[in-house]
Amino acid sequence: MALMPLDVRDEFRRDLGLVDQTMRNAIDHNYAKRKDANWITWLQFCTRLGLHPFLADTKDPIPILQVFAQRYRDGRLAPRGHSVTAKYVSNVLTSVGQAFAVLGAKDPRYTDYDG
């Protein structure tokens, strides 16, 4: 793939920033903050375990996601330190997976079999 000329690249970056801002404006401010907090929690979890946050060296990310989900569910990773519902954990995992995709990485919730 050819490199973009500087002026085209700069315009592309500006437009990409506008997309991000437009998406943030379309959702509730508190919702956006929670999504950001979910990603930060994921980064802290990976750092504590010595894992690359994009699971670059991990063949099977499912066990890691399961432990993350369990710790979130029982409150060890939840914001207030209290247990949360399975639905809440599902939303957190979705948020983390979407962050992977937004940052250009493969969403670890999906395998090569289910896409």
Side-chain angles (χ1 to χ4, degrees):
M1 183 170 154
L3 295 176
M4 288 185 210
L6 289 176
D7 59 331
V8 173
R9 185 191 67 202
D10 291 343
E11 181 182 21
F12 184 87
R13 283 185 178 166
R14 275 192 306 276
D15 289 343
L16 187 57
L18 290 173
V19 168
D20 183 56
Q21 189 59 46
T22 300
M23 288 180 359
R24 286 184 172 276
N25 289 341
I27 59 175
D28 179 326
H29 175 71
N30 290 327
Y31 178 76
K33 282 175 50 177
R34 283 192 307 273
K35 288 183 74 72
D36 289 345
N38 293 338
W39 182 248
I40 291 168
T41 301
W42 171 256
L43 293 176
Q44 292 169 339
F45 170 77
C46 289
T47 299
R48 183 159 189 206
L49 295 179
L51 299 170
H52 188 281
F54 291 107
L55 306 176
D57 301 327
T58 305
K59 288 184 181 182
D60 183 6
I62 300 303
I64 296 166
L65 293 171
Q66 288 172 326
V67 170
F68 178 76
Q70 174 58 40
R71 291 182 183 181
Y72 211 102
R73 175 97 162 94
D74 67 23
R76 286 182 280 170
L77 295 177
R80 291 182 176 83
H82 301 290
S83 63
V84 296
T85 66
K87 176 67 174 168
Y88 193 93
V89 173
S90 175
N91 290 338
V92 170
L93 286 173
T94 298
S95 176
V96 169
Q98 289 170 342
F100 269 72
V102 165
L103 295 170
K106 182 179 166 189
D107 186 333
R109 296 174 302 143
Y110 300 114
T111 66
D112 292 334
Y113 301 110
D114 61 21

